[in-house]
């Protein structure tokens, strides 16, 4: 039976980054995923063409996340491939209540970058391939886990693997979480979101914005050149109907519904998904640890999901590093609980804040509508408080 210090289930952006981060501590790591991503990029990173079609799945990677990824030597490759910086964030319902956050407020060159998920994942996999203490098991599938007080034994396909720590970074439907019998709390938001890749009349912009229309926001995420990603939130039936339209008809619906500042667009691609909130009742159970969406699925309203995941990874790396440095056993219950203590309240605060904003804007009541617009109006004029809120959102 092969033995590892850490066995990571899930090789997405968060899982692959976890492998790189913990390998830097000198630990023996194995990562399991059901498939290998972007084999062409992994075999030949220079094969990427900057003018190739954009992937639908993109993330707003905050400045704080970028700094962490830079330390792990993951970020530079992403920039070499393709990423779009944004310097401003705009939010409004009525034009008089427009609130804008600018990178100058926190004395930074930008707030973050819009990045295609598969490029960030591929860059992390490239780093994994360069580390001799990381074994990649893919394609492979987790079949079962057996937890003991001092180890976890996982069955991967037909092979048993022993590890000191089993890490679940396998997404919102986490098998690790289910097999470890860790419950969740959460709900369905009764809304869905549609991602729409478009070409734009305007050249690359430096702003990402959200406009609330009858309680359902629409969002603009800038991409390079004359490209952008749009997000349309609405009731599931409405999103399903929109997603079924031919691109030319969807284009007209977008032009009718989105703010005029969008200019003319042509729809290139689209996809839809439901909005759910899910929070694990515990992040640590014995030697099992949850990170990213396996621990918490958040409303994507402000693009904080993957950034919370990277904060999880950074916290786990720091906790284990301090334990190793002080002579503690890195996999002890006392050490792992420090990770949960550090991350749980912060994640819950962000999740609750996003829910309050989202639900607040869904209320059709006239007085509530007045109050939220006054809130945005006031937010634009908060001065130092506004700057601190922005710094926190950027992970600084």
């Amino acid at each position: 039976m092969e033995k590892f210090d850490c066995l990571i289930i899930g090789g997405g952006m968060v899982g692959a980054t976890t492998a790189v981060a913990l390998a830097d501590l000198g630990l023996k790591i194995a990562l399991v995923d059901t498939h290998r991503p972007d084999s062409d990029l992994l075999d030949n990173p220079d094969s990427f063409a900057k003018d190739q079609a954009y992937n639908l799945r993109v993330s707003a990677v905050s400045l704080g996340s970028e700094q962490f990824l830079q330390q792990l030597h993951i970020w530079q490759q992403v920039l070499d491939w393709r990423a779009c910086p944004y310097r401003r964030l705009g939010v409004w319902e009525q034009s008089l209540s427009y609130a804008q956050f600018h990178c100058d407020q926190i004395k930074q060159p930008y707030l973050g970058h819009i990045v295609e998920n598969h490029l960030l994942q591929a860059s992390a996999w490239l780093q994994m391939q360069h580390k001799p203490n990381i074994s990649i098991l893919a394609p492979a599938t987790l079949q079962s886990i057996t937890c003991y007080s001092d180890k976890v034994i996982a069955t991967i396909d037909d092979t048993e693997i022993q590890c000191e720590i089993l890490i679940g970074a396998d997404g919102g439907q986490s098998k690790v979480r289910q097999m470890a019998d860790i419950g969740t709390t959460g709900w369905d938001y009764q809304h869905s979101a549609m991602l729409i890749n478009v070409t734009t009349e305007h050249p690359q912009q430096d702003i990402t914005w959200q406009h609330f229309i009858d309680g359902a926001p629409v969002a603009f995420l800038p991409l390079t050149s004359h490209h952008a990603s749009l997000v349309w939130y609405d009731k599931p039936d409405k999103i399903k109907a929109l997603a079924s339209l031919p691109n030319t008809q969807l284009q007209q619906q977008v032009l009718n519904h989105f703010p005029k500042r969008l200019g003319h667009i042509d729809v290139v691609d689209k996809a839809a998904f439901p909005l759910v909130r899910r929070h694990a009742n515990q992040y640590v159970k014995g030697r099992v640890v949850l990170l990213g969406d396996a621990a918490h699925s958040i409303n994507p309203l402000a693009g904080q999901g993957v950034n919370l995941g990277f904060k999880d990874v950074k916290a786990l790396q720091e906790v284990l590093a301090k334990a190793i440095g002080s002579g503690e056993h890195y996999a002890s219950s006392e050490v792992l609980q420090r990770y949960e203590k550090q991350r749980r309240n912060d994640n819950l605060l962000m999740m609750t804040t996003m829910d309050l904003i989202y639900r607040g804007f869904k209320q059709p009541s006239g007085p509530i509508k007045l109050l939220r617009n006054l809130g945005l109006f006031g937010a634009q004029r908060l001065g130092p408080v506004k700057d601190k809120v922005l710094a926190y959102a950027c992970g600084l």
Side-chain angles (χ1 to χ4, degrees):
M1 182 185 300
E2 193 164 6
K3 299 180 180 179
F4 293 90
D5 296 317
C6 297
L7 174 61
I8 301 169
I9 308 300
M13 295 182 289
V14 171
T17 299
T18 304
V20 176
L22 299 188
D24 284 351
L25 302 181
L27 301 175
K28 185 180 179 184
I29 309 294
L31 180 136
V32 175
D33 201 276
T34 53
H35 70 286
R36 289 175 59 86
D38 291 309
S39 57
D40 290 342
L41 285 181
L42 297 183
D43 295 337
N44 182 15
D46 294 334
S47 66
F48 181 78
K50 293 182 184 294
D51 60 350
Q52 71 184 54
Y54 271 89
N55 193 282
L56 272 169
R57 291 285 184 171
V58 299
S59 294
V61 179
S62 72
L63 193 58
S65 294
E66 291 180 19
Q67 292 172 355
F68 178 55
L69 294 169
Q70 189 73 51
Q71 295 170 13
L72 300 177
H73 306 289
I74 293 173
W75 185 244
Q76 186 57 52
Q77 180 62 73
V78 176
L79 294 182
D80 290 346
W81 281 332
R82 189 165 63 186
C84 181
Y86 60 96
R87 304 180 70 240
R88 297 176 291 151
L89 166 63
V91 183
W92 78 100
E93 183 174 26
Q94 297 178 343
S95 57
L96 290 177
S97 64
Y98 181 82
Q100 180 170 277
F101 299 84
H102 198 290
C103 61
D104 289 347
Q105 296 171 222
I106 53 174
K107 298 178 173 59
Q108 297 292 337
Y110 44 78
L111 299 176
H113 283 75
I114 307 298
V115 176
E116 293 157 273
N117 292 1
H118 76 111
L119 295 182
L120 186 47
Q121 180 188 21
S123 182
W125 276 65
L126 283 173
Q127 286 300 313
M128 285 199 297
Q129 293 180 162
H130 295 156
K131 294 186 180 296
N133 56 330
I134 297 180
S135 298
I136 300 175
L137 310 177
T141 303
L142 173 68
Q143 301 295 342
S144 66
I145 64 173
T146 305
C147 300
Y148 301 91
S149 61
D150 60 345
K151 63 181 178 287
V152 178
I153 295 177
T155 302
I156 308 299
D157 292 334
D158 298 324
T159 303
E160 286 192 340
I161 293 176
Q162 179 179 319
C163 59
E164 295 283 332
I165 303 174
L166 176 68
I167 295 176
D170 50 341
Q173 302 297 327
S174 172
K175 291 178 69 175
V176 172
R177 188 183 66 229
Q178 295 168 21
M179 291 178 181
D181 197 25
I182 297 175
T184 62
T185 57
W187 52 77
D188 185 331
Y189 287 102
Q190 302 300 317
H191 265 189
S192 293
M194 182 166 56
L195 308 176
I196 312 170
N197 277 4
V198 299
T199 57
T200 62
E201 173 187 355
H202 306 301
Q204 178 181 327
Q205 299 181 56
D206 68 351
I207 185 172
T208 178
W209 49 255
Q210 291 182 335
H211 180 206
F212 288 85
I213 305 171
D214 297 327
V218 295
F220 172 88
L221 308 176
L223 301 175
T224 58
S225 187
H226 288 259
H227 295 272
S229 175
L230 308 180
V231 190
W232 189 335
Y233 301 84
D234 216 313
K235 295 179 180 178
D237 290 346
K238 177 67 175 293
I239 293 297
K240 183 178 180 180
L242 290 169
S244 68
L245 294 175
N247 286 353
T248 52
Q249 293 183 30
L250 177 59
Q251 169 190 327
Q252 191 56 52
Q253 290 292 324
V254 170
L255 291 173
N256 291 342
H257 192 73
F258 274 66
K260 298 305 179 186
R261 66 167 57 193
L262 191 63
H264 183 76
I265 58 97
D266 290 300
V267 173
V268 178
D269 201 2
K270 58 187 182 293
F273 60 92
L275 301 183
V276 296
R277 166 176 165 147
R278 187 182 294 106
H279 200 196
N281 293 340
Q282 54 194 117
Y283 294 180
V284 175
K285 186 174 183 180
R287 296 290 184 92
V288 176
V289 177
L290 303 179
L291 296 94
D293 284 355
H296 44 79
S297 298
I298 186 173
N299 191 307
L301 183 65
Q304 288 294 320
V306 72
N307 295 301
L308 294 183
F310 290 139
K311 283 185 175 182
D312 292 349
V313 180
K314 184 179 181 181
L316 183 62
Q317 183 199 46
E318 291 174 348
V319 164
L320 298 189
K322 288 180 181 178
I324 293 170
S326 62
E328 294 180 273
H329 184 39
Y330 63 88
S332 70
S333 175
E334 293 81 8
V335 170
L336 297 180
Q337 287 296 333
R338 292 172 201 158
Y339 155 72
E340 173 156 0
K341 183 177 181 181
Q342 185 173 332
R343 290 301 308 140
R344 187 172 188 84
N345 287 340
D346 184 59
N347 288 332
L348 187 59
L349 173 62
M350 184 62 74
M351 295 171 77
T352 303
T353 300
M354 292 303 101
D355 285 346
L356 288 173
I357 294 172
Y358 196 78
R359 293 183 181 279
F361 276 94
K362 284 178 65 177
Q363 299 299 322
S365 165
I368 294 177
K369 185 174 183 178
L370 175 62
L371 283 174
R372 64 187 181 228
N373 279 277
L374 287 173
L376 285 174
F377 182 83
Q380 178 66 13
R381 293 152 180 83
L382 281 175
V385 175
K386 180 183 175 186
D387 300 346
K388 290 184 181 296
V389 170
L390 181 59
Y392 174 72
C394 289
L396 302 178

